[in-house]
Structure formats: C-alpha cells, structure tokens
Amino acid sequence: MLEIKNIKKSFGALPVLKGVDLQVNQGDVVAIIGPSGSGKTTLLRCINYLETADDGTMVFDDESFQMQKVSKRDVARLRKKTAFVFQNYNLFQNKTALQNVTEGLIVARKIPKAKAVQIGKQALDKVGLSDRYDYYPSQLSGGQQQRVAIARAIATNPEIIFFDEPTSALDPELTGEVLSVMRELAKEGMTMLVVTHEMNFAKTVSNKVIFMENGCVVESGDSREFFEHPKEERTKAFLQTIHDTMSLAS
Amino acid sequence: MVGSRLWELFLDSFGKILLPGLTVTIPLTILAFSLALVIAVIAALVQFANIKGFQQIARFYIWIFRGTPLLVQLFVVFYGLSRVGLVLEPFPAAVLVFSLNEGAYCAETIRAALEAVPSGQLEAGYCAGMSYLQTIRRIILPQAMRTAFPPLSNSLIAMVKDTSLAANITVTEMFMVTQRIVARTYEPLLLYLEVGLIYLMFSTVLTKLQRIGEKKLQTYAHKGG
C-alpha cells in the first residue's frame, strides 16, 4: 500500500536520510525506533511532504511518485488519504475539540456541517472525550489534546495514520491513555506508521519494527523476531541499553 | 465673578466641541481605521506568504508612510496634489491619509503576530487536507489577530487623538472648533483643557472596550504549563 525506496534528505551539508527503504501493507502497525537524531522524524515528515526529500520514490495505492518533485496537487491529494499526529499535538488553538476534528472535514473535504459534526462527535467518543466537545485545547491536558489529535486523524477515515513520537511530550500516566487509544486502533486494523520511543508499544502493538541510526535502517522486520532475536550487533547494543535503563527505573 | 463666567463658558462650549467630535472625529476614526486594517492585513499577508513583487511593494509602502510625518502626508495629499489636478475634499483626504498612515504601522503589528503563530499550526492544517489559503484564513489569521488585538487597540487610541491634525487641512473636527472658540473668547487654557478632556473621554471608552474585547478573546488563550 505504501512503499518508499531510497529516500534521501540533507539539511544543508548534513545528511539526515541516506537512502532509506520502507514498506507498509494494509493493516500493518509499523514502529520506527532508534536513538535521537537518527532521522526517524524526518523520514515521517518527508513521507507526508512536510519536508521535501532530495531523492526517492514513493508508491501509494499503486501510484508512483518522484519524491523530490511532486506537484502541489498530488501532495494535497495524498494528504487527504492520510493523517498525521504530531509530537506536540498541534491542535488548532482557536478551535474547540469538536471543531478541530470537523475542520478538515468541512473545509477540505466539503462534507456538510451536520454530517461532519456527527462524524466528529463519534471520533471524540471513540477516544473517550465525549464530555469535552466544546473545550479549547488550552483547557485540556496533554493526554486529552493528543487524543483530540487522534480523533482528528481518524475522523477523515485515512488509509494510513502517521504518528510522530505521539507520547514524547506526555508524562507516564498520560502516555498510558494515548497508547491505549492507539492499541484500540491497531486492533481495528488501522494502518499506522509510528515513530516512537515506547519500546513496550513497539513490542506489543506493532507487527513490524524498523530500527534506524544515522539516517540508515540498521535492521527491520517482524516485531517479535526483532526483539527476541536481533541480528545486528548495533541492535543488540541498543536493546540492551534500553533494557538496562528500564530495570534501573523499576 | 470670573469663576462663574468661566464655568458658563465651559458648559456652553462643551456641547459645541463634543458635536464635531461625534459627527467628524469619530466617523473619521472609524472609517480610516477600518480601511487601515484592510490595508494592513493585505500588506502583512503578502509579506508573510513571501509573494514576490507584492512583498517589495508592501515594504516600499510601509517605508514611505512610516518614514515621513503624518502632518506632511496630510499637506502633500490635500494641498500638494491639487497642483497636479487632483483636488480632494478635506474629509476624504483625511480618511485617505490616516488610513494609509495607520495601515503601515498596523501591517507591521499584524505581520509580527502572524509570525508568532507556531509553524505547527500551518502543518496541522496541511495534514488535515486544507490548502495554504484555507489554513491562513481559518487558523493562522484568527490566532494572529488575537495576538495583535492589544497593539491594534493602541493604534486606534493613538489615531483618535491624531485626527486633531486634520484641522490643518480644514476638516472641521473638534480641535478646529475649539480653536475658533478660543479666537472669539480668548480663553485658551480653559478651552484647550476642555478639548483635551473630551479626547480623554473618547480614549477611556476605547480602553474599556479593549478590556472587554480581550476578555472575549481570552477563551482560547494560551496558558502556561
């Protein structure tokens, strides 16, 4: 459904992505993990054209695109089939929770307002915010804001949702409520590409893992296989560090 | 008694000064400031959106109107332009100059406010499937106008007082009427204090309105933590 080949991106003289391949099939939950600065977020942003890649091809729904020269029209079309959840939520500050969800439906997809409101309420109900329709983002906790952002994402009925470190700005308790919503989505078969530091999520929810470092994919594959029998030395070292940190914490 | 004569003059002239305040100063301010806002939003947006060509025009316009005295601009438009056959009535000339002058200042206020909206808001608009213009109109501009509201109120209050300069191009507003009464009665201290008091009344009302407006806009204000 989504296939990326040889994506490259530099910021000035600094290469951030050095030829990354990626494949997502329908119903996949793919976790992209790796140390900070490895290019995970940039990869995700290039896939949704928030950054323009220097090179690479994308196949989405059997349609092929040259990533460095995609027309505005194609970008707009692609974005309407996808959704993006940001690390810092990026809810529209001047809109209520419900308006945040309906805005993209009414304005971008020309869905009649009454219908959009109905879809919006359903989406908010689903993430457990049926009592927060008319709250502004500034009146919501971080976890609630991120759940509104997820409601905004699912309301458009996207083919895939991109998550950029969706829990990194949240404390552990709030992280839990966001992860459980994502777990629900995964169960329902939503296709998701998730940049995350939550190893537990990568381990238990995702079915595929991609481990990145220095702009390259070090290792990727089936989640269980990845965590139980990592092949690369670098992956083993990374998982060991995380394991040690976790046992220190507990 | 000197005191009672002055008091009578004060009361007698109060209505005479207030009337052109209501019929000239306030309409002039409202008209000019509304136009100024339209000009300012356009001049700010073309700069914010980096529209080539228009961006230079906006910068040039702001450079000229911020860089020369308001009084000089009034004289150039009212007295000067008649030399090249462009004769304007005093009131329209005043509206034109005040709106262009104020527009230049407000453009910078609004541009700064646009730039203060986090870039994630635009990206979120894109990701929701909205176009650049849709996101600007529905998400970015409303947030920017909220930020710009206090400094714009400042500009409005300044403009109410600056309209007194229109007396110099024969607009019969409050200050000109006051000057005429002074010429007749030789009581400059009393009458100029009186007109000052009326300007202060106008500004006080606007300050109150600003408070109310800010409170209304507070609903989605950013809170810390």
Side-chain angles (χ1 to χ4, degrees), chain B residues 23-71:
Chain B
T23 58
V24 180
T25 301
I26 288 176
L28 175 60
T29 306
I30 291 173
L31 263 176
F33 198 75
S34 311
L35 282 173
L37 281 184
V38 174
I39 296 169
V41 167
I42 294 169
L45 278 178
V46 297
Q47 290 186 83
F48 181 69
N50 283 325
I51 304 174
K52 293 262 144 31
F54 288 96
Q55 192 178 22
Q56 273 74 20
I57 296 172
R59 285 211 189 120
F60 179 76
Y61 152 70
I62 291 166
W63 176 61
I64 294 291
F65 279 88
R66 280 204 312 180
T68 56
L70 178 54
L71 189 57

Side-chain angles (χ1 to χ4, degrees), chain B residues 131-150:
Chain B
S131 69
Y132 181 76
L133 279 179
Q134 285 170 336
T135 313
I136 290 288
R137 194 166 64 79
R138 303 187 55 97
I139 309 296
I140 310 292
L141 197 54
Q143 291 183 41
M145 291 313 273
R146 195 207 152 268
T147 313
F149 187 77

Side-chain angles (χ1 to χ4, degrees), chain A residues 234-247:
Chain A
R234 181 60 190 109
T235 315
K236 287 176 192 162
F238 180 74
L239 292 175
Q240 189 58 49
T241 319
I242 285 166
H243 184 76
D244 293 349
T245 322
M246 278 182 164
S247 13

